[in-house]
Amino acid sequence: MGRAKEDAFLYEKIADELGEMIARGALRPGERLPSVRRMSEERGVSVATVVAAYQLLEHRGAAEPRPKSGHFVRARAGADTPVPTTARRAPAPTRVSIHADADDLIQVMLQARRGQVPLGCAYVATELLPLRKLNAILAQVAREGGGPGGEYADLRGSLQLRRQLARRAVRWGVALEPDELVTTLGATDALNLALASVTRPGDVIALESPTYFAFMRMLEHHGLRAIEIPTDPQTGLDLDALDDALRRAPVRAVLCSPNFQNPLGARMPDEQKERLVKMVARRGVALIEDDVYGDLAHDGSRPRAAKSFDRDGSVLLVGSMSKTLAPGYRVGWLAPGRWDEAVVRKKSAMTLACPTPTEMAVAELLDEGGYDRHLRRLRRAIADQCARYREAIARSFPEGTRVSRPQGGFVLWVELPQGTSGIALQAEALERGIAIAPGPIFSARQRFQSCIRISTGFPFSPRIERAIATLGKIAEELAPKRAA
Ligand SMILES: Cc1ncc(COP(=O)(O)O)c(C=O)c1O
């Protein structure tokens, strides 16, 4: 390896480590970073490498130089979002029927694509994805004989893909055989198969609060009731509140994302994942774990899935390639645990078979080994984007605004000053060609009226900066005026 390349790796590594310490609060806003000389001696790296690392942190908005004093952790106007709940206790289960207005809001957001500033839906810019390579593999797969596409795939899905996924599962801390996996049409199909296999209409599902808005649509579709569990923006589901809910309500399944939850970006610590899995196993409750953001840790690590603590098949693990590779390929999977037979039966009834060519193309890409290199680049890009969007929000939004500090994924949860309507902000923003997601769609009870979610999936640019400044101005206008 050439020295230049080694240095490139080192300065990023140092910047990532320091960034992680800042994210964890081990280095606080306003605190001085070690001097360049000290850092260079301690790490045994050149002064130039440390300078490059500090410049990268500066670029990410995490540190700032002060004349003749060194580098400091940047003070942020937006504090971390507090636990977004008014009560520690989960309210009683509620039948999910999405209010027509909320449904309209979701519809508006999903359709808000062309020409609008894309801060609404959670997907990354195509330029960050290896689509050219993946499409070339797909073309090659299609050229090689009439096999793929000419026959129905195995009911469980392409064996080649399941083998690759079983190999990758080691990184999630999970030991899986290819025959313990079922491929699906994205995570959405996997989640629906899981819900259809585990529940009957009228059952109660415990959800994080706030949670991914499409979960509410799924629950409504399956005739289920929701119980919303308070969720911490850093550590995820409040397990004491969940335990309490499991005692009080006949909960059939817990549906959650322990790794980089959408919309908060929370990462549940491993001990809590273990406690969660033990809790559901003890009560015979299913845990549907949505891990679509698991590969997108900002600090480069790959957290374990809660499924890694599963001893009796209580956990149904859901994943897909939509957030990291190609949402349009619709390649997802499900490791159904003890619901395996039920899931395979449901798949035969609902889908029969997934498209083979796309599954084979993804399997080939995984086999080639280029996926990990791509993931490293993607993680760095989204960590950088998140930091820069966060900074822009802190600069532009009214006082009293709070912004989440996600540890992975690429969405930000913004709590506006009390009384400011997230729905009004969405409407005004749309008028000006900016798409965002309003808070109430992330709750079965339309809570979080003063919140919005901003997706940071696109590289930061002057256009995005202007859009965030515009959002800040609208929020300022909408914020209730304090009496003079
Ligand atoms: C938590 C979560 N699960 C699932 C999905 C959908 O995944 P897919 O496109 O693979 O169906 C999304 C997309 O935003 C998501 O945020």
Side-chain angles (χ1 to χ4, degrees), residues 122 185-188 191 212 215 257 262 290 292-293 320 322-323 330:
L185 301 172
T188 304
L191 289 158
Y212 171 43
F215 289 172
S257 298
N262 176 6
D290 182 343
V292 290
Y293 294 101
S320 86
S322 298
K323 305 298 169 185
R330 309 309 295 139

Side-chain angles (χ1 to χ4, degrees), residues 256-369:
C256 67
S257 298
N259 292 329
F260 317 124
Q261 194 259 5
N262 176 6
L264 295 173
R267 170 180 172 165
M268 184 181 277
D270 285 348
E271 320 79 74
Q272 291 192 34
K273 286 179 186 151
E274 186 171 13
R275 185 179 162 209
L276 168 65
V277 174
K278 283 187 175 153
M279 197 186 285
V280 293
R282 200 167 51 243
R283 293 180 185 275
V285 169
L287 174 63
I288 303 174
E289 176 182 22
D290 182 343
D291 198 36
V292 290
Y293 294 101
D295 276 343
L296 292 179
H298 292 176
D299 67 3
S301 61
R302 205 312 172 178
R304 296 169 71 144
K307 174 116 185 127
S308 67
F309 297 103
D310 188 15
R311 299 289 167 261
D312 66 356
S314 298
V315 184
L316 299 95
L317 177 64
V318 170
S320 86
M321 288 294 176
S322 298
K323 305 298 169 185
T324 53
L325 205 54
Y329 271 52
R330 309 309 295 139
V331 171
W333 58 88
L334 176 59
R338 66 186 151 93
W339 283 275
D340 187 80
E341 213 183 303
V343 164
V344 172
R345 277 177 65 88
K346 292 283 177 201
K347 184 176 173 186
S348 76
M350 290 160 65
T351 323
L352 189 56
C354 292
T356 330
T358 40
E359 289 194 349
M360 286 179 68
V362 169
E364 291 272 338
L365 186 89
L366 293 178
D367 194 26
E368 273 186 15

Side-chain angles (χ1 to χ4, degrees), residues 14-251:
I14 293 170
D16 286 348
E17 277 173 27
L18 290 170
E20 218 270 319
M21 287 172 76
I22 293 168
R24 275 193 285 115
L27 283 167
R28 308 216 133 266
E31 202 171 313
R32 189 170 185 271
L33 294 177
S35 73
V36 170
R37 187 167 304 279
R38 208 183 98 205
M39 196 73 177
S40 132
E41 281 166 7
E42 273 179 10
R43 295 299 179 102
V45 296
S46 70
V47 166
T49 298
V50 180
V51 169
Y54 283 9
Q55 280 171 347
L56 182 58
L57 280 172
E58 240 181 280
H59 174 72
R60 290 178 181 169
E64 60 189 358
R66 294 195 193 152
K68 299 201 179 113
S69 323
H71 274 80
F72 289 76
V73 179
R74 194 147 180 186
R76 292 171 189 271
D80 286 342
T81 314
V83 178
T85 177
T86 46
R88 298 293 290 172
R89 241 185 169 204
T94 175
R95 185 169 283 280
V96 184
S97 73
I98 300 180
H99 192 276
D101 292 349
D103 213 39
D104 285 349
L105 298 175
I106 295 173
Q107 215 52 41
V108 165
M109 194 189 66
L110 294 178
Q111 285 163 2
R113 286 270 168 104
R114 274 185 201 94
Q116 296 190 336
V117 187
L119 312 181
C121 287
Y123 62 104
V124 296
T126 48
E127 70 223 58
L128 298 176
L129 301 173
L131 283 171
R132 193 186 291 266
K133 184 168 180 188
L134 185 59
N135 291 339
I137 297 176
L138 179 63
Q140 196 184 340
V141 165
R143 270 198 305 274
E144 279 171 5
E151 294 166 8
Y152 284 109
D154 187 299
L155 184 50
R156 281 188 178 276
S158 143
L159 178 59
Q160 201 185 340
L161 176 62
R162 286 182 287 120
R163 280 201 182 117
Q164 290 299 327
L165 293 172
R167 281 175 58 184
R168 289 203 76 76
V170 177
R171 296 161 206 234
W172 322 329
V174 184
L176 278 178
E177 294 295 328
D179 279 352
E180 292 173 300
L181 283 157
V182 177
T183 69
T184 58
L185 301 172
T188 304
D189 185 34
L191 289 158
N192 278 308
L193 279 171
L195 287 168
S197 305
V198 163
T199 68
R200 276 191 237 118
D203 279 350
V204 178
I205 308 298
L207 295 174
E208 291 146 333
S209 183
T211 194
Y212 171 43
F213 59 85
F215 289 172
M216 257 74 71
R217 283 199 155 171
M218 292 175 197
L219 264 54
E220 183 185 48
H221 172 76
H222 292 274
L224 299 167
R225 289 180 291 161
I227 186 162
E228 294 190 47
I229 310 296
T231 299
D232 182 275
Q234 289 296 315
T235 58
L237 263 183
D238 178 332
L239 295 185
D240 290 333
L242 177 66
D243 197 30
D244 183 46
L246 295 185
R247 268 180 236 279
R248 289 188 296 121
V251 173

